[in-house]
Amino acid sequence: MKPYRVVQWTTGNVSREAVKGILERPGLELVGVFAYSADKVGRDLGELCGLDRTLGVAATNRIEDIVALQPDCVVYMPLHPEIEHLETLLRAGINVATTAHFMTGRAYGEEARARLEAAAVEGGASMFGSGINPGYMQHLASVATNVCRTASYVRILESFDIGPWAGDANQDELGWGRPAGDPNHAADIKHATIPFGDACEALAELLDVSVDGIRCDVEFTYAGKDLDIPGRDVRAGTVAGVYARWIGSAGGLDVVETAVKWTITADLVPAWDITMDYEIEIRGHPNVTLRAGVLPEFGSMTMDEMVGIGSVITAMPVVNAIPAVVAARPGIVGYSDLPAVGTRLIPASPPAQSAAVPPPSRPHFTRQSTLQELTASPVGRLLNRIVARQAKKTATTDRDVAMFVGMAAYQSIEQLVLMSDGKMSWPVADSIIDLANGQPHRIAGRAVAGVRKRWRASPCRSRWPT
């Protein structure tokens, strides 16, 4: 079977990860790239994406060139979509898979949604949108209901400290540092998070219910002290946390919710619990709860790879869906129209791990305690400084260091050990826990037990008289 011909639209951070994923899949062939900037035109896609090789694919900023290539699919990844471009592609019979805030088209407005649906049907093409959230998480939540006889409410919460990114221009709409009670701030948050209304509608469709109303409720929390964030003035008492809940109702009853709880510091008034993961709650028969963590493998990834993990998890739900999108019916399609979508499974040897050692009994801190929780003790604060020092050895910017330290803070000691590829052993981890609990005597006991165990297993033991 011939590979599907694919065009990459834009070459930003998410697009670069998409290109890597496309190149790894034998069923896909990159045949073109669209770039908005005139200085990128004519340059090779490999160069534009920071790869160590050229791909023989030159960038263009003319949509006519893209249409002339007759690709099977355009991977459409601009920050802001252009409806005219999308119409042109779809009407030309070119399928579109996008991360540009699209699932059902609701966030684009009803007029734009109707235009895209008409263009896709006319051209016999499909348009599909996804990402990590909105996208993958709605699909995952719908699959999680499979064990339920009935379900009455499905909720998805994205809970993250995004402080390292707070200075980025794409965070302007969130209003970090605005004073408490600032007029229209809630309305601005609603506008900034409108794709989650799209996700709310998509989740309802996946669960075979039509919502007759979608609303957005917004809450704020405030910085407990002045924050040092490059490019962003955030004073004590100003906004440092946003909680936006998009809720869909049917027949006057709430049925689905897609929420985001974002903060830029742990020092908040009132305090919020941030889990650095995605939480899925299903109220039904039975109730189901899931927590999905998608943080990087700290021990085996380079700093650049860790910085790029957010782009990877945004790009890959779209890249992995390309064959299914090409085969789908014409029109706007979603996960309910596609077969099961997954990545490639490539066998690999597991990382070496040290033998497990039982955790201390009746402790205050355990293996499940996070690095952030451990900083309540002197040894925990020392460990946090060690993590920061290690980050500075490989990071290229202060923001990269802050991002690494921020993500590590929400990892449990157990997760840090498992992700370290053997660089942090269980005995060391348990000794840190012992010190945090004020139980240094347990370290000596563990050391003695370890020596005895090695002695019993040593071939030299048989040479000594008993």
Side-chain angles (χ1 to χ4, degrees):
M1 178 178 174
K2 293 177 62 177
Y4 293 117
R5 293 166 57 81
V6 178
V7 165
Q8 178 62 49
W9 192 286
T10 73
T11 57
N13 291 332
V14 175
S15 297
R16 293 180 183 194
E17 298 302 333
V19 166
K20 295 174 187 176
I22 293 168
L23 291 173
E24 292 170 348
R25 282 149 180 75
L28 304 178
E29 178 188 4
L30 274 166
V31 297
V33 55
F34 184 94
Y36 289 98
S37 302
D39 62 347
K40 293 183 179 180
V41 173
R43 294 168 61 186
D44 189 85
L45 177 58
E47 176 193 355
L48 294 175
C49 289
L51 304 181
D52 58 0
R53 59 191 174 104
T54 58
L55 302 176
V57 178
T60 179
N61 61 0
R62 288 168 35 88
I63 194 169
E64 297 85 354
D65 295 340
I66 299 300
V67 173
L69 290 170
Q70 298 183 312
D72 295 295
C73 187
V74 166
V75 179
Y76 187 78
M77 294 180 166
L79 184 59
H80 301 292
E82 294 188 38
I83 304 304
E84 292 78 10
H85 281 165
L86 289 168
E87 282 185 291
T88 300
L89 295 171
L90 293 168
R91 195 169 283 113
I94 300 170
N95 302 285
V96 174
T98 180
T99 59
H101 304 316
F102 185 93
M103 286 197 76
T104 67
R106 181 182 186 277
Y108 288 7
E110 290 306 319
E111 179 189 356
R113 172 155 60 176
R115 287 167 56 187
L116 293 173
E117 175 70 18
V121 171
E122 180 183 336
S126 305
M127 180 168 177
F128 169 80
S130 189
I132 178 65
N133 187 38
Y136 170 78
M137 285 301 155
Q138 285 67 43
H139 179 47
L140 183 61
S142 70
V143 172
T145 67
N146 197 28
V147 297
C148 300
R149 182 185 300 168
T150 59
S152 60
Y153 196 83
V154 178
R155 173 178 181 263
I156 301 170
L157 172 65
E158 178 178 312
S159 176
F160 280 89
D161 181 332
I162 57 174
W165 297 273
D168 292 357
N170 59 10
Q171 298 275 312
D172 290 348
E173 289 185 303
L174 297 178
W176 303 124
R178 285 174 69 166
D182 196 10
N184 299 321
H185 197 174
D188 291 342
I189 295 299
K190 180 178 179 180
H191 181 266
T193 61
I194 197 169
F196 293 97
D198 210 46
C200 210
E201 183 179 59
L203 177 59
E205 289 182 358
L206 283 165
L207 299 172
D208 199 27
V209 62
S210 296
V211 291
D212 48 35
I214 296 177
R215 70 181 188 275
C216 180
D217 296 340
V218 179
E219 298 178 27
F220 299 104
T221 188
Y222 308 95
K225 62 182 180 181
D226 292 349
L227 303 182
D228 182 16
I229 296 176
R232 195 75 66 184
D233 186 20
V234 183
R235 304 290 180 179
T238 64
V239 171
V242 171
Y243 184 21
R245 300 173 61 214
W246 285 88
I247 303 167
S249 60
L253 297 174
D254 295 341
V255 289
V256 290
E257 175 181 336
T258 297
V260 292
K261 184 181 282 188
W262 294 326
T263 62
I264 58 174
T265 179
D267 191 347
L268 296 166
V269 181
W272 282 358
D273 181 30
I274 298 297
T275 56
M276 295 296 278
D277 59 19
Y278 300 87
E279 302 174 11
I280 296 172
E281 174 193 0
I282 300 165
R283 301 173 198 167
H285 181 68
N287 294 327
V288 178
T289 58
L290 283 78
R291 292 181 64 174
V294 289
L295 292 173
E297 302 170 52
F298 290 99
S300 59
M301 299 178 72
T302 66
M303 181 61 70
D304 286 343
E305 288 172 330
M306 283 185 284
V307 170
I309 200 70
S311 297
V312 172
I313 61 180
T314 300
M316 294 318 300
V318 166
V319 171
N320 287 326
I322 290 173
V325 174
V326 174
R329 63 168 178 81
I332 294 173
V333 300
Y335 278 108
S336 58
D337 300 290
L338 306 184
V341 174
T343 192
R344 299 173 67 210
L345 188 62
I346 302 175
S349 300
Q353 298 292 345
S354 303
V357 178
S361 61
R362 297 191 305 277
H364 175 64
F365 297 108
T366 68
R367 288 181 176 182
Q368 281 64 51
S369 298
T370 65
L371 182 56
Q372 185 180 59
E373 291 168 343
L374 226 66
T375 55
S377 68
V379 68
R381 291 192 289 273
L382 175 61
L383 180 58
N384 195 62
R385 286 196 293 271
I386 292 173
V387 169
R389 191 177 300 119
Q390 288 298 114
K392 289 178 180 177
K393 291 180 180 179
T394 54
T396 54
T397 68
D398 290 340
R399 194 187 78 161
D400 291 352
V401 173
M403 190 203 73
F404 180 94
V405 174
M407 289 190 298
Y410 289 94
Q411 298 297 292
S412 69
I413 298 301
E414 181 176 41
Q415 288 171 314
L416 290 176
V417 171
L418 295 176
M419 292 177 174
S420 71
D421 288 340
K423 295 181 178 67
M424 183 178 184
S425 68
W426 282 116
V428 169
D430 287 329
S431 295
I432 291 170
I433 294 170
D434 290 338
L435 289 173
N437 286 321
Q439 298 174 323
H441 60 280
R442 300 185 68 90
I443 299 174
R446 185 181 296 107
V448 170
V451 170
R452 286 176 176 170
K453 182 177 180 179
R454 288 193 294 272
W455 170 247
R456 293 191 188 101
S458 172
C460 299
R461 181 171 179 261
S462 60
R463 301 175 188 172
W464 291 82
T466 57

